[in-house]
Amino acid sequence: MNPLATAHPAAIIDGVALSAQLREDVTRRTLALKARGVTPGLAVLLVGDNPASQVYVRNKVKACADSGLHSVLERHDADMTEAALLARIDALNKDSSIHGILVQLPVPAHIDANKVIEAISPAKDVDGFHISSAGALMVGQPGFLPCTPYGCMKMLESIGYDLRGKHAVVIGRSNIVGKPMAMLLLQKNATVTICHSATKDLKALTLQADVIVAAVGKRNVLTADMVKPGAVVIDVGMNRNPEGKLCGDVDYEGVRQVASHITPVPGGVGPMTITMLLVNTLESAERSL
Ligand code: GUN
């Protein structure tokens, strides 16, 4: 028995159920928009044949169809030039049937990902990766939020969690998850600590946390001995264990004995990321009216 264990295992924040609820609203609003002559449209560009990326883009396109959004999947050969990709983005920026443009990352090494991201019109930046979207988030102006941190915030909202004055620890400092996640938590008046590979004594920091977001991409980054009883734990990781099973960054079985709430992998943050992509695309289309 873990001496830190709480009386009950953590409540599970179910990303599949919450997604279904949010997608119902997306479907309803999409129908309303269609009645006004606008079908929200998403363009998904995949360069090369990265197997994980292929699964991700397929899931995104399917989610669009399920909620009534229009989507276009463009698959390009791995040897596509940067100039050709930038030209495709330019054409999609001008295409009024497309409200969101997403270039699946990573792109092949000969293509500059930053150049690609900055080529997307900020008005169609439904991934929220453009420097102007990141800047808007930083200063609290409206703009597209990156889908994964946006989904994590919706999960906290779903349990009625008030972040004011709470200590939130984000593990990971990527531009896609860690940094924007920290900004969103800060916006809700949490005290935020960002931890990363050079952090000394991660455990001393996580033990102080009321909320922990793990976004490293490595198994067992967070174990039960690192979690304060009653903390809320959000697991953004997508890894495989030695048996090939999908798992997150958190030792789920251990941590759920200590935390008050926890997100599972699979079935946690993953579905929420795609749901927020639909929300962003829909809102882009609504704004176009
Ligand atoms: N690669 C991994 N995650 C993402 C994402 O959310 N968007 C894009 N465009 N590429 C990714």
Side-chain angles (χ1 to χ4, degrees):
M1 182 76 182
N2 183 333
L4 288 178
T6 47
H8 304 285
I12 293 168
I13 310 178
D14 182 343
V16 176
L18 181 55
S19 280
Q21 202 182 311
L22 293 170
R23 287 187 201 192
E24 242 174 62
D25 185 55
V26 169
T27 304
R28 187 183 54 73
R29 282 160 65 193
T30 298
L31 270 173
L33 213 51
K34 283 179 169 171
R36 298 176 67 187
V38 176
T39 301
L42 174 70
V44 179
L45 281 67
L46 175 63
V47 184
D49 48 15
N50 179 310
S53 291
Q54 300 210 34
V55 175
Y56 293 146
V57 298
R58 219 183 300 130
N59 289 342
K60 289 170 185 178
V61 166
K62 180 178 183 301
C64 283
D66 290 347
S67 284
L69 285 78
H70 163 65
S71 72
V72 184
L73 173 56
E74 285 192 13
R75 293 167 182 278
H76 296 285
D77 292 338
D79 63 0
M80 181 189 212
T81 64
E82 184 182 276
L85 179 56
L86 294 176
R88 274 311 301 146
I89 292 170
D90 188 47
L92 291 164
N93 280 340
K94 293 172 179 149
D95 182 339
S96 63
S97 73
I98 294 298
H99 305 94
I101 302 170
L102 181 157
V103 178
Q104 187 65 28
L105 302 176
V107 286
H110 67 277
I111 297 176
D112 181 341
N114 286 324
K115 244 194 215 174
V116 169
I117 291 167
E118 303 323 327
I120 296 169
S121 162
K124 299 189 179 187
D125 175 38
V126 288
D127 253 337
F129 294 169
H130 194 283
I131 204 158
S132 82
S133 303
L137 172 59
M138 178 91 175
V139 296
Q141 295 279 323
F144 289 113
L145 300 178
C147 302
T148 299
Y150 192 6
C152 293
M153 293 305 285
K154 287 284 176 194
M155 294 179 107
L156 289 171
E157 205 180 295
S158 77
I159 59 166
Y161 194 82
D162 181 9
L163 282 157
R164 170 173 287 272
K166 298 295 198 323
H167 186 192
V169 169
V170 178
I171 315 175
R173 54 173 157 181
S174 70
N175 290 335
I176 296 182
V177 184
K179 282 191 239 174
M181 187 74 229
M183 284 298 139
L184 288 169
L185 293 163
L186 186 61
Q187 229 170 53
K188 295 290 183 191
N189 301 304
T191 300
V192 182
T193 301
I194 306 176
C195 299
H196 48 79
S197 51
T199 295
K200 288 181 181 151
D201 204 353
L202 175 64
K203 178 177 169 177
L205 293 161
T206 57
L207 274 174
Q208 296 174 34
D210 302 300
V211 177
I212 304 172
V213 180
V216 175
K218 213 171 99 188
R219 270 192 320 128
N220 295 334
V221 158
L222 191 74
T223 48
D225 58 307
M226 300 167 73
V227 178
K228 180 169 77 173
V232 176
V233 175
I234 310 274
D235 189 352
V236 179
M238 282 268 238
N239 312 298
R240 299 262 170 201
N241 71 10
E243 290 80 50
K245 225 179 102 196
L246 198 63
C247 66
D249 290 353
V250 175
D251 169 26
Y252 182 79
E253 286 307 324
V255 171
R256 68 191 281 260
Q257 305 302 327
V258 183
S260 68
H261 295 80
I262 190 166
T263 68
V265 177
V269 174
M272 291 299 292
T273 295
I274 299 188
T275 299
M276 302 329 290
L277 174 67
L278 300 178
V279 169
N280 279 347
T281 304
L282 170 63
E283 288 184 355
S284 178
E286 286 173 345
R287 272 177 225 165
S288 77
L289 266 184

